[in-house]
Amino acid sequence: MYGVRKMIVTMGVLVCFIVVLAALLKLVDYALSLSAIAAIILSIGMGVDANVLIFERVREELKAGKTIQQAISI
């Protein structure tokens, strides 16, 4: 439904989490437990879901006749 934009956002979120996770593991020299892996997966899901909600809200504002600048302003 969201097409290429959702794929780009999802890949961006995944890359961000992988970079942060790799940096953390390199600095601390820590092994992940199953609960830590589940927390990472849930965090990725929450990040992607938040981005989808933001895109949907902007789309609604654009359909209401606002400009892009007005749609993304607070």
Side-chain angles (χ1 to χ4, degrees):
M1 178 175 174
Y2 296 99
V4 177
R5 290 183 291 183
K6 182 180 178 189
M7 183 179 68
I8 292 170
V9 168
T10 303
M11 294 304 292
V13 169
L14 287 174
V15 167
C16 179
F17 274 109
I18 289 170
V19 167
V20 169
L21 180 63
L24 178 69
L25 290 176
K26 188 71 172 174
L27 288 174
V28 181
D29 195 30
Y30 182 73
L32 291 177
S33 64
L34 287 177
S35 60
I37 294 170
I40 292 168
I41 292 170
L42 285 172
S43 297
I44 292 170
M46 288 172 49
V48 170
D49 187 43
N51 284 319
V52 168
L53 291 173
I54 290 168
F55 277 134
E56 188 63 32
R57 177 65 183 194
V58 170
R59 183 185 293 177
E60 288 175 3
E61 295 290 331
L62 291 175
K63 283 184 181 178
K66 294 184 177 180
T67 65
I68 292 176
Q69 186 69 25
Q70 291 172 336
I72 62 174
S73 67
I74 295 175

